[in-house]
Amino acid sequence: FGPNLFDEWRYLDRGEPGMDNSRRPLNPDFALNQPRYQGASILLARRITGPVRTLVSSAREILGLSWSPDGKQIAFGGAPAPGRYLEIMLLSVETLEADQVSESSPDYLCAFDPRFSPDGKQIAFTRADVAGLHDIYAVPRAGGASRRLTSLRCRMYGLDWMPDGRSIVFSASPRADFGLWRVGVADGRLSRIP
């Protein structure tokens, strides 16, 4: 958790800005305060104080997640095995089996921040190269070769599909300043959003 995330449920008292949260009394009824839910996990809860089902846990971080439009799978950036870099994983909510859908390469450090296309057939994601610079890729939901959509090699944060599924919007800094950009999925056409 980050500071002040779920603050009204995490603690039994009312916090103040700048307060030392380590001295505040925790709410024992808030599911995510329980020790078994600490660390990098994807959890499913029907209510904020109700039972929690652990869908996947990792000794490393989980970077981004996206529900499939049909609600049957979750794509996330996670390590496919201990000691491996993060890749795009696809988790079945029913069976809890997770499969790697992005291919590994010694040229890349990690893949993260996946987003399902509106029709659920593709997953767009950010990939970092060995220099730590980012580009946007897409991979079929069923797995296979990833397709590079941008060649900006810069810092990127956040991405999402446009409702028609023909382009992806993301934040990037190919120059010195961040801005919103759009890339065409079919043709790779790149434009800055004013």
Side-chain angles (χ1 to χ4, degrees):
F1 310 69
N4 305 319
L5 183 63
F6 301 123
D7 212 33
E8 63 274 19
W9 296 302
R10 286 175 68 190
Y11 302 104
L12 293 172
D13 66 349
R14 189 171 178 88
E16 300 294 329
M19 181 180 214
D20 178 7
N21 289 339
S22 67
R23 299 180 188 272
R24 295 176 65 193
L26 291 174
N27 176 359
D29 294 327
F30 182 54
L32 299 183
N33 280 340
Q34 298 171 14
R36 69 177 182 239
Y37 299 120
Q38 302 304 307
S41 298
I42 298 175
L43 309 173
L44 178 63
R46 299 284 179 209
R47 297 187 332 247
I48 202 71
T49 58
V52 175
R53 180 178 171 208
T54 300
L55 301 181
V56 70
S57 292
S58 173
R60 294 188 57 195
E61 65 266 279
I62 292 173
L63 296 179
L65 62 86
S66 178
W67 280 93
S68 62
D70 62 13
K72 295 180 179 179
Q73 294 177 308
I74 298 174
F76 66 96
R84 299 269 310 273
Y85 289 120
L86 302 183
E87 293 293 345
I88 301 305
M89 306 294 293
L90 198 54
L91 174 73
S92 165
V93 176
E94 183 181 335
T95 67
L96 302 185
E97 291 180 27
D99 296 310
Q100 180 178 335
V101 293
S102 61
E103 71 280 2
S104 299
S105 167
D107 299 328
Y108 304 108
L109 286 179
C110 64
F112 59 96
D113 202 16
R115 294 292 179 269
F116 275 98
S117 60
D119 65 6
K121 293 179 181 178
Q122 296 185 76
I123 302 169
F125 62 94
T126 305
R127 174 168 267 158
D129 64 18
V130 293
L133 300 174
H134 306 156
D135 272 301
I136 305 293
Y137 287 74
V139 66
R141 180 179 182 170
S146 298
R147 195 165 48 93
R148 189 176 189 165
L149 301 179
T150 65
S151 293
L152 294 172
R153 292 195 71 238
C154 66
R155 299 284 181 208
M156 295 181 176
Y157 297 100
L159 64 108
D160 209 349
W161 293 82
M162 294 301 291
D164 64 9
R166 296 189 313 199
S167 59
I168 296 169
V169 175
F170 58 97
S171 173
S173 64
R175 299 179 192 92
D177 60 332
F178 269 92
L180 287 178
W181 295 79
R182 178 189 320 233
V183 63
V185 174
D187 60 10
R189 187 168 156 224
L190 190 66
S191 60
R192 184 164 184 159
I193 299 173

